[in-house]
Amino acid sequence: MKKISILGSTGSIGLQTVEIVREHLDKFKIIGIAAMSNIEKLEEQINEFKPEIVAVFNEEKAKILASKINEKTKIVSGMQGLIEVATHDRVDIVLNSVVGSVGMIPTYHAILSKKNIALANKETLVVAGKIIMQEAIKNNVSIIPVDSEHSAIFQCLQGESVKDIEKIILTASGGPFRKMSKENLKSAKYYDALKHPNWDMGRKISIDSATLMNKGLEVIEAKWLFDISCEDIDVVVHPQSIIHSMVEFSDSSVIAQMGLPSMKLPIQYALTYPTREKSSIPKLKLSEIRTLTFEEPDLDRFPCLQLAYDAIKIGGTMPCVLNGANEVLVSKYLKEEISFYDIPKYVEKAMNKHSSFDYTSLDELLEVDKWVRNWIMNELK
Ligand code: MG
């Protein structure tokens, strides 16, 4: 029986993780759950799974939840609460699907407590990849990707040696605005971006998918997870989202991982790794799909992807600036306070303003993250 904590249990990935647990009650036991503020959903999950500990990031909401729960469940709050859920004694694996760089702190503490990590929170690696991977090695902890592309690469690499990798080929659906002209993109609205053709995702990642920033963050994530130079990570647009990513080896062999687009597959694999279990995910029928197509990403219409390559090439604290700026800008775009192209415009401005340095602690990164968020807010005034 694997004992799990789920950080972000009420979000899109969290709910799908809960479904997988429900389908495999003989395999998994939920010990802890954590969410930002959705206490109605948390209450349902407490009643169904009887976790030992529950964290609500929002302290007021935590109090309300505590007053409603008469189980033996311990209710905690704030970042300290998230850390408690992530480091609980009885937990074997922490699934982290918190949105944004705020997720890096509980991930870090979970690693120090020698918990394996099923990582859906890509911002953790974008911002703090160096420290996170160093600590994971030091503490003999596995970081198993939940991001579908990275899960694909991870699966392609089973039984292989990282030194034989020639290239990683990340596939991108191209997002909801793949075919939109630059002129129309200038006035593209957030609610159109939320209608993703293939993937059912949260709000933030849906916007990142529309700008291709998501793919840029994934390039950085892949660099850290697989210890590979970003020059050896290619992106190819594959609108059907059937091939979830590929690895090219030194002998020119290319291995791809395929399946119908469902986040339940990479979530389940991360939880069952190194074995596989039966799942409710529909089977891929290639004769029904018939056509798989591929095209180059358009960096002119989607400059965020190039900005992410630039940030990781500069290295140090620059990806932290790229990410912090993007998080603020996406939340502004979701409130219709800025336009689609303001996102790359201000990310680039922030990057130009920042002198990158080689960080040695999470505190330094938190400082940079705070600086860039304030800087963007001031610029937009
Ligand atoms: Mg992905």
Side-chain angles (χ1 to χ4, degrees):
M1 186 78 92
K2 259 187 201 170
K3 299 182 208 72
I4 311 174
S5 269
I6 306 170
L7 309 184
S9 69
T10 61
S12 171
I13 299 285
L15 292 175
Q16 295 179 76
T17 306
V18 165
E19 267 180 57
I20 288 162
V21 171
R22 195 179 284 128
E23 290 163 13
H24 300 89
L25 287 173
D26 55 328
K27 296 279 182 311
F28 307 121
K29 160 94 183 116
I30 296 177
I31 300 291
I33 51 178
M36 181 64 92
S37 60
N38 187 348
I39 53 173
E40 291 75 24
K41 201 37 117 189
L42 279 176
E43 199 179 344
E44 281 176 35
Q45 292 176 344
I46 292 170
N47 290 332
E48 183 175 357
F49 296 100
K50 316 261 184 282
E52 293 182 20
I53 182 163
V54 177
V56 190
F57 193 71
N58 180 308
E59 309 209 349
E60 285 309 306
K61 297 270 186 180
K63 279 181 200 151
I64 301 171
L65 181 65
S67 72
K68 289 168 129 182
I69 298 298
N70 43 19
E71 303 278 340
K72 284 180 281 177
T73 306
K74 183 180 179 190
I75 309 286
V76 290
S77 66
M79 182 51 79
Q80 202 49 46
L82 246 69
I83 294 171
E84 255 189 81
V85 170
T87 59
H88 190 282
D89 265 2
R90 292 190 56 210
V91 169
D92 303 314
I93 183 162
V94 177
L95 185 129
N96 185 351
S97 61
V98 166
V99 178
S101 61
V102 62
M104 77 179 174
I105 298 161
T107 307
Y108 178 73
H109 286 273
I111 293 170
L112 296 188
S113 303
K114 308 205 185 298
K115 309 294 183 194
N116 287 323
I117 310 287
L119 190 66
N121 173 255
K122 65 190 77 179
E123 292 91 346
T124 287
L125 288 177
V126 170
V127 173
K130 188 182 77 172
I131 291 181
I132 295 291
M133 295 314 288
Q134 275 171 0
E135 289 300 328
I137 291 166
K138 218 194 272 174
N139 290 285
N140 198 20
V141 158
S142 303
I143 298 190
I144 308 153
V146 171
D147 211 345
S148 61
E149 295 78 0
H150 304 75
S151 174
I153 296 160
F154 188 71
Q155 292 180 58
C156 294
L157 287 175
Q158 294 306 308
E160 302 289 349
S161 171
V162 171
K163 69 168 177 30
D164 294 327
I165 303 177
E166 190 91 8
K167 226 173 210 106
I168 280 176
I169 304 155
L170 285 177
T171 52
S173 68
F177 296 157
R178 178 171 65 93
K179 288 182 176 160
M180 200 181 272
S181 69
K182 200 169 179 181
E183 212 38 50
N184 288 339
L185 279 171
K186 286 178 185 165
S187 55
K189 294 289 182 228
Y190 80 90
Y191 38 83
D192 295 319
L194 297 182
K195 297 174 202 148
H196 197 283
N198 305 343
W199 298 94
D200 178 17
M201 306 184 294
R203 286 162 69 86
K204 196 254 175 183
I205 191 172
S206 294
I207 304 303
D208 285 344
S209 171
T211 61
L212 288 199
M213 181 60 95
N214 183 51
K215 210 48 56 181
L217 299 177
E218 290 182 352
V219 168
I220 302 174
E221 184 186 8
K223 178 219 147 51
W224 291 114
L225 274 173
F226 306 111
D227 191 21
I228 182 171
S229 154
C230 58
E231 276 108 44
D232 297 327
I233 305 172
D234 284 355
V235 171
V236 64
V237 175
H238 166 45
Q240 297 81 18
S241 299
I242 296 298
I243 296 182
H244 299 141
S245 277
M246 297 169 255
V247 180
E248 183 188 307
F249 292 93
S250 45
D251 61 358
S252 300
S253 179
V254 176
I255 299 187
Q257 186 265 337
M258 293 190 271
L260 290 174
S262 162
M263 282 310 295
K264 283 177 81 173
L265 200 146
I267 295 168
Q268 178 169 314
Y269 186 72
L271 294 180
T272 62
Y273 173 81
T275 57
R276 291 183 188 271
E277 291 291 337
K278 283 213 165 0
S279 85
S280 61
I281 301 153
K283 304 289 184 214
L284 173 64
K285 293 199 177 66
L286 282 174
S287 56
E288 282 173 18
I289 307 266
R290 299 177 69 100
T291 313
L292 300 180
T293 62
F294 305 92
E295 57 198 66
E296 286 277 319
D298 185 340
L299 297 175
D300 178 47
R301 279 186 305 138
F302 302 105
C304 285
L305 178 56
Q306 184 61 51
L307 290 172
Y309 270 106
D310 295 345
I312 190 60
K313 212 166 170 187
I314 295 164
T317 49
M318 199 55 91
C320 175
V321 168
L322 169 96
N323 179 71
N326 182 60
E327 282 189 32
V328 176
L329 292 161
V330 168
S331 73
K332 294 266 175 201
Y333 181 64
L334 281 167
K335 291 183 210 146
E336 295 196 281
E337 292 173 14
I338 60 170
S339 72
F340 185 79
Y341 280 120
D342 281 336
I343 299 176
K345 179 180 159 192
Y346 285 97
V347 168
E348 188 173 11
K349 276 188 160 197
M351 284 171 61
N352 288 336
K353 195 79 194 162
H354 179 68
S355 308
S356 175
F357 63 92
D358 191 18
Y359 60 90
T360 53
S361 72
L362 285 194
D363 285 342
E364 286 172 306
L365 290 168
L366 291 171
E367 279 291 306
V368 171
D369 182 72
K370 200 167 129 194
W371 166 80
V372 70
R373 284 165 197 265
N374 286 332
W375 189 83
I376 295 275
M377 296 299 263
N378 276 324
E379 279 296 294
L380 291 175
K381 255 182 202 159

